[in-house]
mmCIF file of all heavy atoms in Angstrom:
data_model
loop_
_atom_site.group_PDB
_atom_site.id
_atom_site.type_symbol
_atom_site.label_atom_id
_atom_site.label_comp_id
_atom_site.label_asym_id
_atom_site.label_seq_id
_atom_site.Cartn_x
_atom_site.Cartn_y
_atom_site.Cartn_z
ATOM 1 N N HIS S 4 22.521 3.942 20.570
ATOM 2 C CA HIS S 4 21.716 5.141 20.391
ATOM 3 C C HIS S 4 22.250 5.991 19.237
ATOM 4 O O HIS S 4 21.486 6.544 18.451
ATOM 5 C CB HIS S 4 21.721 5.979 21.669
ATOM 6 C CG HIS S 4 20.594 5.618 22.589
ATOM 7 N ND1 HIS S 4 19.288 5.537 22.166
ATOM 8 C CD2 HIS S 4 20.588 5.318 23.907
ATOM 9 C CE1 HIS S 4 18.517 5.218 23.197
ATOM 10 N NE2 HIS S 4 19.280 5.075 24.263
ATOM 11 N N VAL S 20 13.803 14.482 13.883
ATOM 12 C CA VAL S 20 13.337 15.686 14.581
ATOM 13 C C VAL S 20 12.120 15.367 15.443
ATOM 14 O O VAL S 20 12.045 15.773 16.611
ATOM 15 C CB VAL S 20 13.000 16.795 13.559
ATOM 16 C CG1 VAL S 20 12.363 17.994 14.268
ATOM 17 C CG2 VAL S 20 14.251 17.228 12.813
ATOM 18 N N LEU S 52 2.315 22.381 0.430
ATOM 19 C CA LEU S 52 3.278 22.038 -0.616
ATOM 20 C C LEU S 52 2.570 21.592 -1.890
ATOM 21 O O LEU S 52 2.934 21.997 -2.999
ATOM 22 C CB LEU S 52 4.225 20.940 -0.128
ATOM 23 C CG LEU S 52 5.231 21.338 0.947
ATOM 24 C CD1 LEU S 52 6.073 20.135 1.359
ATOM 25 C CD2 LEU S 52 6.136 22.463 0.465
ATOM 26 N N THR S 70 16.457 23.252 -9.685
ATOM 27 C CA THR S 70 16.647 21.878 -9.221
ATOM 28 C C THR S 70 16.639 21.792 -7.703
ATOM 29 O O THR S 70 16.155 20.804 -7.130
ATOM 30 C CB THR S 70 17.964 21.309 -9.761
ATOM 31 O OG1 THR S 70 17.972 21.449 -11.181
ATOM 32 C CG2 THR S 70 18.122 19.848 -9.410
ATOM 33 N N LEU S 72 14.868 23.528 -5.503
ATOM 34 C CA LEU S 72 13.511 23.531 -4.980
ATOM 35 C C LEU S 72 12.815 22.195 -5.252
ATOM 36 O O LEU S 72 12.128 21.649 -4.378
ATOM 37 C CB LEU S 72 12.702 24.674 -5.606
ATOM 38 C CG LEU S 72 11.279 24.870 -5.066
ATOM 39 C CD1 LEU S 72 11.302 25.090 -3.560
ATOM 40 C CD2 LEU S 72 10.597 26.039 -5.772
ATOM 41 N N LYS S 103 2.906 -1.596 26.665
ATOM 42 C CA LYS S 103 3.283 -0.382 25.935
ATOM 43 C C LYS S 103 2.084 0.361 25.349
ATOM 44 O O LYS S 103 2.249 1.362 24.685
ATOM 45 C CB LYS S 103 4.244 -0.737 24.796
ATOM 46 C CG LYS S 103 5.574 -1.298 25.257
ATOM 47 C CD LYS S 103 6.482 -1.542 24.063
ATOM 48 C CE LYS S 103 7.845 -2.047 24.508
ATOM 49 N NZ LYS S 103 8.752 -2.270 23.355
ATOM 50 N N ARG S 114 -5.915 7.943 17.839
ATOM 51 C CA ARG S 114 -4.958 7.287 16.947
ATOM 52 C C ARG S 114 -5.555 7.100 15.553
ATOM 53 O O ARG S 114 -4.864 7.219 14.552
ATOM 54 C CB ARG S 114 -4.553 5.934 17.532
ATOM 55 C CG ARG S 114 -3.767 6.041 18.820
ATOM 56 C CD ARG S 114 -3.347 4.666 19.319
ATOM 57 N NE ARG S 114 -2.672 4.783 20.595
ATOM 58 C CZ ARG S 114 -1.399 5.126 20.744
ATOM 59 N NH1 ARG S 114 -0.664 5.376 19.686
ATOM 60 N NH2 ARG S 114 -0.847 5.209 21.933
ATOM 61 N N LEU S 154 2.439 12.135 -16.667
ATOM 62 C CA LEU S 154 1.488 12.682 -15.701
ATOM 63 C C LEU S 154 1.389 14.179 -15.993
ATOM 64 O O LEU S 154 2.229 14.965 -15.573
ATOM 65 C CB LEU S 154 1.973 12.434 -14.267
ATOM 66 C CG LEU S 154 2.117 10.956 -13.864
ATOM 67 C CD1 LEU S 154 2.702 10.852 -12.459
ATOM 68 C CD2 LEU S 154 0.786 10.232 -13.936
ATOM 69 N N LEU S 165 -4.000 8.182 -5.513
ATOM 70 C CA LEU S 165 -5.189 7.710 -4.799
ATOM 71 C C LEU S 165 -5.579 6.297 -5.221
ATOM 72 O O LEU S 165 -5.814 5.430 -4.376
ATOM 73 C CB LEU S 165 -6.354 8.672 -5.039
ATOM 74 C CG LEU S 165 -7.695 8.268 -4.431
ATOM 75 C CD1 LEU S 165 -7.589 8.129 -2.917
ATOM 76 C CD2 LEU S 165 -8.773 9.277 -4.797
ATOM 77 N N PRO S 181 11.994 1.252 -13.104
ATOM 78 C CA PRO S 181 12.207 0.651 -11.771
ATOM 79 C C PRO S 181 11.913 1.592 -10.612
ATOM 80 O O PRO S 181 11.378 1.160 -9.582
ATOM 81 C CB PRO S 181 13.686 0.254 -11.805
ATOM 82 C CG PRO S 181 13.979 0.007 -13.243
ATOM 83 C CD PRO S 181 13.146 1.003 -14.004
#
Side-chain angles (χ1 to χ4, degrees):
H4 269 310
V20 174
L52 290 178
T70 306
L72 185 57
K103 296 183 177 181
R114 294 182 184 279
L154 298 176
L165 176 60

